[in-house]
Amino acid sequence: MADGPTERHPIALFFHLAFKIAAFLWFVLFSRFVGDFVKTFVISLVLIALDFWTVKNVTGRKLVGLRWWNEANDSGSAWRFESAPEGTRQINNSEKRLFWIALMANCLGWGVLVFIEVITFKFQWLIIPIIGLIMGSSNLVGYFKCSREAKDQVKNMTNSLLTSAVTNYASNAVSRV
């Protein structure tokens, strides 16, 4: 089936969201209300790993046309990034938006849980959100590095912020004189 402007991937999108939500909810509900560390740890870890694998190997290619991997050899390791060539694939904008929102929300959610576990002194439970944050951040960074569009947006935002800061500084300096 050829890629077209209306091609959708509802199953990939479902699993892109489902594993993230399931891992997060499982951890929050079971760590707070059940308290069985071993079951919570094992199931959370399996769900986090399924999410990582699904995003890295399936939904990144299907939803945004991006792929990343790490090659290890005798001289070390290197990250490799790949994106679909321009014009060869039409990405569904709503799926692309949900892909990026879910990646960022996942990292934010696990980050908040790390903070909560630290401030409530529940250090035993801290390992699970740290693993979730590391795995989610790995995918976010990997896809960010291979997305030309994301790089361009950050570059434009940085340039705009720098221009704004220089303009404000210059206008404040001139108004003082």
Side-chain angles (χ1 to χ4, degrees):
M1 181 173 173
D3 291 334
T6 60
E7 184 176 2
R8 299 184 67 98
H9 302 94
I11 295 171
L13 186 60
F14 170 78
F15 284 107
H16 181 71
L17 300 171
F19 286 132
K20 286 171 183 39
I21 293 168
F24 192 83
L25 287 177
W26 182 271
F27 172 73
V28 169
L29 295 176
F30 272 68
S31 67
R32 301 296 182 258
F33 302 116
V34 175
D36 185 342
F37 179 77
V38 173
K39 284 182 186 171
T40 303
F41 180 82
V42 170
I43 300 296
S44 294
L45 195 60
V46 167
L47 290 169
I48 290 167
L50 286 170
D51 173 56
F52 178 81
W53 184 89
T54 302
V55 172
K56 185 181 169 307
N57 294 308
V58 179
T59 63
R61 285 183 310 144
K62 295 278 189 188
L63 302 179
V64 291
L66 302 173
R67 193 170 81 139
W68 69 269
W69 66 96
N70 190 299
E71 290 180 350
N73 55 32
D74 295 338
S75 62
S77 68
W79 284 50
R80 304 287 182 223
F81 307 102
E82 187 177 278
S83 59
E86 296 296 325
T88 62
R89 182 176 180 126
Q90 296 294 323
I91 304 297
N92 183 292
N93 283 333
S94 61
E95 289 181 347
K96 179 173 82 171
R97 194 173 17 257
L98 281 171
F99 175 86
W100 287 106
I101 289 170
L103 277 183
M104 289 182 235
N106 186 44
C107 291
L108 179 66
W110 287 116
V112 167
L113 287 176
V114 166
F115 180 73
I116 289 170
E117 299 307 318
V118 168
I119 65 169
T120 58
F121 301 109
K122 294 183 179 175
F123 298 114
Q124 174 185 357
W125 296 101
L126 185 59
I127 187 70
I128 299 168
I130 286 175
I131 292 170
L133 181 60
I134 289 170
M135 300 290 264
S137 297
S138 296
N139 268 329
L140 182 61
V141 168
Y143 282 113
F144 179 78
K145 284 187 173 188
C146 64
S147 171
R148 289 184 202 109
E149 183 179 321
K151 285 180 190 175
D152 290 343
Q153 286 175 349
V154 168
K155 187 187 211 179
N156 291 338
M157 187 172 59
T158 303
N159 288 339
S160 128
L161 287 173
L162 286 174
T163 303
S164 163
V166 168
T167 305
N168 285 339
Y169 179 75
S171 67
N172 286 339
V174 169
S175 66
R176 289 182 191 166
V177 175

